[in-house]
Amino acid sequence: MRRLLFIIIPAIVTIGHSIRPPIIDGREADLHEFPYQVSLQWNFNNGSRPTHFCSGSILNRDWILTAAHCMENLSGNGWYEIVAGVNNIAHEEPGAQRRNVSRFVKHPLFNELTIKHDIAVILLSEPLHLNGNIKTMRLATGSTVVLQTHAKFAGWGSISKTMVNIFPDMLMKVTLPLRTLEECAWDGRVDSTQICAAGYQNVSACTADSGGPLTVTMDGEEVQIGVASFGEKPCLARYPIVFSSVLHFYEWIQSAIADD
């Protein structure tokens, strides 16, 4: 099972499965501070607690936005689930909603080797009941101008700076400085379909943070500009984290969820 593609320097690791990225040097999120964020989990069908491996954001009652690599190489006799309205994934708060996954739609150009077009949408088995603790995410469009220098990020990914993962039960949050493509320093791996944040000894994300939303505040509302894709491992914040650009993929997202 995979988590976040995190590149083992000099290699890459996705922030999902064994690649699941953690929030490094972050702090615990307030209860329902991120009502649009969900935990993607694998139910092993053996009576054990389902395991978190990626995050996602709520597009509407039926659809979740996440990273394409989050659904690669999962095996076993279990199934995917998502949990909304939760901070503590070990002891879910009252009102949390759990759904099975009916369909997983990856971008048709997703490339696991280059980690390009790392974006996907998930159709739920039944609609979520939206309320004050479970809300939809506003997406940046192709015409959105991002003037902010910092963004918000949250996740249940590893909080360890070593190769040994330590996963928190509580949702962790962090503020990340946004980087230009020139600052991204991933040896030509990054292009205009992606966004970079953190790195250079700043705070970072880590394994199992993949698929999570990178947001900025616009007109008093959180707007998603990125989907967590990959970073370095161990998670030492030496290199920026790479996100798929929601601005670039906005039209594809709308088309994918309209096909239902």
Side-chain angles (χ1 to χ4, degrees), residues 166-177:
I166 300 173
F167 296 111
D169 292 332
M170 301 300 297
L171 181 65
M172 306 297 289
K173 66 178 180 179
V174 70
T175 298
L176 303 177

Side-chain angles (χ1 to χ4, degrees), residues 116-117 181 188-195 242-243 245 248:
K116 294 293 178 64
H117 298 85
L181 292 183
R189 290 180 182 269
V190 178
D191 60 23
S192 60
T193 68
Q194 296 160 306
I195 292 173
V242 180
F243 299 78
S245 170
H248 180 86

Side-chain angles (χ1 to χ4, degrees), residues 122-184:
I122 295 172
L123 178 63
L124 303 178
S125 58
E126 60 179 287
L128 292 168
H129 300 296
L130 301 179
N131 54 48
N133 300 330
I134 300 176
K135 299 181 179 181
T136 58
M137 181 83 255
R138 175 184 165 189
L139 300 183
T141 70
S143 61
T144 300
V145 177
V146 179
L147 300 177
Q148 290 83 349
T149 59
H150 289 74
K152 292 181 182 179
F153 187 68
W156 291 273
S158 173
I159 54 176
S160 170
K161 293 183 179 181
T162 72
M163 294 301 292
V164 178
N165 289 321
I166 300 173
F167 296 111
D169 292 332
M170 301 300 297
L171 181 65
M172 306 297 289
K173 66 178 180 179
V174 70
T175 298
L176 303 177
L178 295 174
R179 306 296 186 187
T180 65
L181 292 183
E182 291 73 23
E183 292 175 316
C184 209

Side-chain angles (χ1 to χ4, degrees), residues 13-32:
V13 178
T14 49
I15 313 175
H17 311 348
S18 44
I19 290 170
R20 36 188 245 202
I23 298 291
I24 301 298
D25 293 332
R27 58 193 179 93
E28 196 173 299
D30 294 334
L31 184 62
H32 303 309

Side-chain angles (χ1 to χ4, degrees), residues 32-254:
H32 303 309
E33 182 179 357
F34 297 86
Y36 45 76
Q37 186 144 352
V38 301
S39 168
L40 276 59
Q41 301 184 2
W42 181 253
N43 189 317
F44 290 92
N45 193 26
N46 62 6
S48 63
R49 179 165 64 91
T51 297
H52 168 86
F53 63 91
C54 275
S55 283
S57 55
I58 302 172
L59 294 173
N60 56 38
R61 297 169 67 240
D62 298 298
W63 289 93
I64 303 297
L65 179 63
T66 189
H69 80 259
C70 283
M71 295 298 174
E72 294 292 304
N73 299 336
L74 287 176
S75 61
N77 298 318
W79 58 85
Y80 296 108
E81 297 178 347
I82 73 97
V83 185
V86 64
N87 270 51
N88 188 329
I89 55 176
H91 304 284
E92 296 172 11
E93 292 82 8
Q97 298 178 33
R98 186 175 290 271
R99 298 288 186 271
N100 290 346
V101 173
S102 291
R103 192 192 318 164
F104 187 79
V105 184
K106 294 184 290 187
H107 193 285
L109 297 180
F110 170 60
N111 186 314
E112 186 176 1
L113 295 178
T114 63
I115 323 178
K116 294 293 178 64
H117 298 85
D118 188 12
I119 196 163
V121 291
I122 295 172
L123 178 63
L124 303 178
S125 58
E126 60 179 287
L128 292 168
H129 300 296
L130 301 179
N131 54 48
N133 300 330
I134 300 176
K135 299 181 179 181
T136 58
M137 181 83 255
R138 175 184 165 189
L139 300 183
T141 70
S143 61
T144 300
V145 177
V146 179
L147 300 177
Q148 290 83 349
T149 59
H150 289 74
K152 292 181 182 179
F153 187 68
W156 291 273
S158 173
I159 54 176
S160 170
K161 293 183 179 181
T162 72
M163 294 301 292
V164 178
N165 289 321
I166 300 173
F167 296 111
D169 292 332
M170 301 300 297
L171 181 65
M172 306 297 289
K173 66 178 180 179
V174 70
T175 298
L176 303 177
L178 295 174
R179 306 296 186 187
T180 65
L181 292 183
E182 291 73 23
E183 292 175 316
C184 209
W186 274 110
D187 298 325
R189 290 180 182 269
V190 178
D191 60 23
S192 60
T193 68
Q194 296 160 306
I195 292 173
C196 289
Y200 305 113
Q201 306 303 315
N202 207 290
V203 289
S204 185
C206 196
T207 303
D209 281 330
S210 287
L214 181 72
T215 70
V216 294
T217 305
M218 294 184 175
D219 301 322
E221 183 179 8
E222 290 306 305
V223 177
Q224 184 172 355
I225 62 172
V227 174
S229 180
F230 70 85
E232 65 175 315
K233 185 73 175 182
C235 306
L236 298 175
R238 295 170 296 183
Y239 291 78
I241 298 298
V242 180
F243 299 78
S244 295
S245 170
V246 169
L247 292 76
H248 180 86
F249 291 109
Y250 177 81
E251 294 300 332
W252 177 82
I253 295 168
Q254 299 305 315

